[in-house]
Amino acid sequence: MKTITTTEDLAAFCADAARADYVTVDTEFLRERTYYSKLCLIQLAYRGDGTDDAVLVDPLAEGIDLAPLYDLFRDAGVVKVFHAARQDLEIFAVEGDTIPAPLFDTQVAAMVCGFGEQVGYETLVRRVAKAQVDKSSRFTDWSRRPLTDAQKKYALADVTHLRDIYEHLAAELAKTGRTPWVEEEMDVLRDPATYRVEPRDAWRRLKMRNPSPRYAAIARELAAFREDYAQTNNVPRSRVFKDDALLELASMKPKTPAELGKARLLLREARKGAIADGILAAVAAGLAVDKADLPDLPSQKNRDQINAALADLLRVLLKAKAEKAGVAAKLIATASDLDDIASGTRDGDWAKGWRKTVFGTDALRLCEGEIALACKGHAVRVIELPRD
């Protein structure tokens, strides 16, 4: 098990990998105590002759420069293969301002190929590579050096078995003509905006039950302060204050340190110093927002107008369509999507691209009374209804 600790060795490996059709990639990182992930290890492999075609790269090694790796990531002739790529890609987007391309995510591909929803790497290793993964090192401290042999073996397995998985899924997609489906799914992962959290937009992640625009304005300012503080100080946003405390503050509208001290859910560290000052300033800013500039609440639109019977029919239709296509239902449309459709929404990812072909068109036809569903045995059939 070779571990690369110098820029020269990394450049040599990347030059060899650049001659391959693809390279498999994985990372080990820590994030429990920081806002941004701390990259601790990179695993790389390609299909070679078995000699040094799978390596570990130590990004913590003194003096190492990852520039050769980022050059490989930008090489359009080599497919970069990940499993459940989002967190790995975020690291490279933040640290190297690079998103690997072309890109292939085996978790997404497996969902398209009928392996179920959010299929895990170990499951694919077992079902495709006919091997087992030793999980004993999964939750170890990857920042400590030296790494143990068990850690190295575990980490390297994440990219060596991935070669077999990628080749199997790529062949299956080519056979079924669904390679473009996976390409569509990669659009979000290739978009740099996927990995940026703008403080002014952070409030949109909150689950707010209060419909008041003023409440939302205060929550927006509090969320923006928290996100900016967390990014600047590289601490988890929950270490600044948690969502429930934020929403409590938006309701309380504290204007003084004394009023702030009455918050039940605020961490002790947040009741003084820079965080306390930031909270009071954010609340004041939210209260000062002009009525014309109050935020539009996240679209909980028409939730009270959901046609519950139609939503149930859409769930049946989705299940039937997913089973027929051999695609994970969750990849086609979420439960929230179905409720949106049943409340009158007529656009969304479910109505675009391959999803429209598999499900979206018939979903809209069901809403318009153009088709009905019938059950025969275990099969659900779509029945055309006569036009009026």
Side-chain angles (χ1 to χ4, degrees):
M1 292 179 286
K2 181 177 180 179
T3 301
I4 290 176
T5 58
T6 68
T7 307
E8 292 73 22
D9 284 349
L10 177 59
F13 175 85
C14 290
D16 290 338
R19 292 191 284 270
D21 293 330
Y22 68 88
V23 59
T24 55
V25 189
D26 192 32
T27 68
E28 304 298 340
F29 57 87
L30 297 178
R31 198 172 191 170
E32 289 80 6
R33 299 179 181 178
T34 58
Y35 182 92
Y36 299 106
S37 296
K38 179 181 180 181
L39 181 60
C40 298
L41 193 67
I42 306 166
Q43 304 98 283
L44 303 167
Y46 60 91
R47 183 68 78 186
D49 59 8
T51 304
D52 293 336
D53 59 1
V55 298
L56 305 176
V57 180
D58 187 353
L60 303 182
E62 185 176 355
I64 193 169
D65 186 343
L66 298 182
L69 178 61
Y70 293 127
D71 288 340
L72 177 62
F73 282 170
R74 289 187 287 267
D75 188 333
V78 182
V79 178
K80 272 61 73 171
V81 181
F82 294 77
H83 181 82
R86 186 164 183 145
Q87 286 187 299
D88 299 316
L89 296 178
E90 180 182 0
I91 293 172
F92 296 129
V94 171
E95 295 211 355
D97 193 26
T98 301
I99 297 176
L103 180 64
F104 189 98
D105 188 325
T106 55
Q107 185 178 70
V108 173
M111 293 170 73
V112 171
C113 290
F115 281 83
E117 298 180 359
Q118 303 296 323
V119 60
Y121 179 69
E122 291 84 0
T123 299
L124 289 177
V125 170
R126 185 174 64 253
R127 294 175 61 179
V128 175
K130 310 301 182 186
Q132 297 290 329
V133 175
D134 180 2
K135 303 177 184 179
S136 60
S137 296
R138 173 179 293 179
F139 299 112
T140 56
D141 184 350
W142 292 99
S143 67
R144 297 187 64 179
R145 296 294 184 268
L147 296 173
T148 66
D149 287 343
Q151 284 178 304
K152 293 178 180 180
K153 182 179 179 181
Y154 167 85
L156 206 58
D158 281 346
V159 288
T160 53
H161 295 313
L162 196 55
R163 296 177 297 197
D164 295 327
I165 293 168
Y166 166 68
E167 291 173 4
H168 174 85
L169 293 175
E172 184 66 20
L173 291 169
K175 183 172 69 175
T176 58
R178 294 182 178 180
T179 302
W181 294 17
V182 175
E183 275 296 306
E184 282 186 38
E185 299 309 298
M186 295 301 100
D187 287 345
V188 172
L189 294 177
R190 286 190 292 255
D191 185 354
T194 299
Y195 311 103
R196 289 195 301 265
V197 179
E198 300 295 342
R200 295 300 298 175
D201 294 330
W203 70 283
R204 299 185 184 280
R205 298 184 175 201
L206 300 171
K207 296 180 179 179
M208 296 188 293
R209 296 179 181 177
N210 188 329
S212 163
R214 181 64 61 187
Y215 170 89
I218 298 171
R220 179 179 64 183
E221 299 299 328
L222 286 166
F225 162 71
R226 180 178 68 171
E227 204 71 25
D228 184 66
Y229 185 95
Q231 291 178 359
T232 301
N233 294 277
N234 196 23
V235 295
R237 61 177 67 90
S238 63
R239 293 278 292 272
V240 185
F241 45 84
K242 296 182 180 180
D243 284 358
D244 55 358
L246 188 156
L247 298 178
E248 179 189 41
L249 292 167
S251 294
M252 289 177 58
K253 309 177 186 63
K255 299 179 181 64
T256 66
E259 291 179 359
L260 182 63
K262 297 177 181 179
R264 295 182 303 107
L265 302 176
L266 201 60
L267 297 172
R268 182 174 59 186
E269 294 80 3
R271 298 172 185 267
K272 57 186 178 181
I275 297 179
D277 292 342
I279 290 173
L280 293 176
V283 170
L287 289 170
V289 172
D290 188 88
K291 285 186 177 182
D293 297 323
L294 290 174
D296 293 327
L297 293 174
S299 146
Q300 307 194 9
K301 56 187 186 264
N302 303 332
R303 284 292 171 182
D304 294 335
Q305 301 176 20
I306 293 175
N307 183 329
L310 177 57
D312 288 340
L313 286 175
L314 287 165
R315 285 170 173 77
V316 174
L317 177 66
L318 175 61
K319 188 173 188 301
K321 291 289 187 176
E323 289 179 352
K324 182 178 179 180
V327 180
K330 188 176 180 180
L331 188 62
I332 301 172
T334 65
S336 180
D337 288 334
L338 301 182
D339 286 343
D340 284 342
I341 299 170
S343 65
T345 297
R346 293 296 178 261
D347 59 9
D349 289 343
W350 55 270
K352 303 172 185 175
W354 67 268
R355 290 179 175 85
K356 179 179 180 180
T357 302
V358 172
F359 169 73
T361 297
D362 277 346
L364 293 178
R365 294 176 71 210
L366 182 66
C367 294
E368 298 301 323
E370 297 176 6
I371 61 173
L373 303 179
C375 184
K376 184 176 182 180
H378 295 289
V380 173
R381 296 186 298 133
V382 172
I383 299 176
E384 298 283 342
L385 294 177
R387 295 182 181 274
D388 293 335

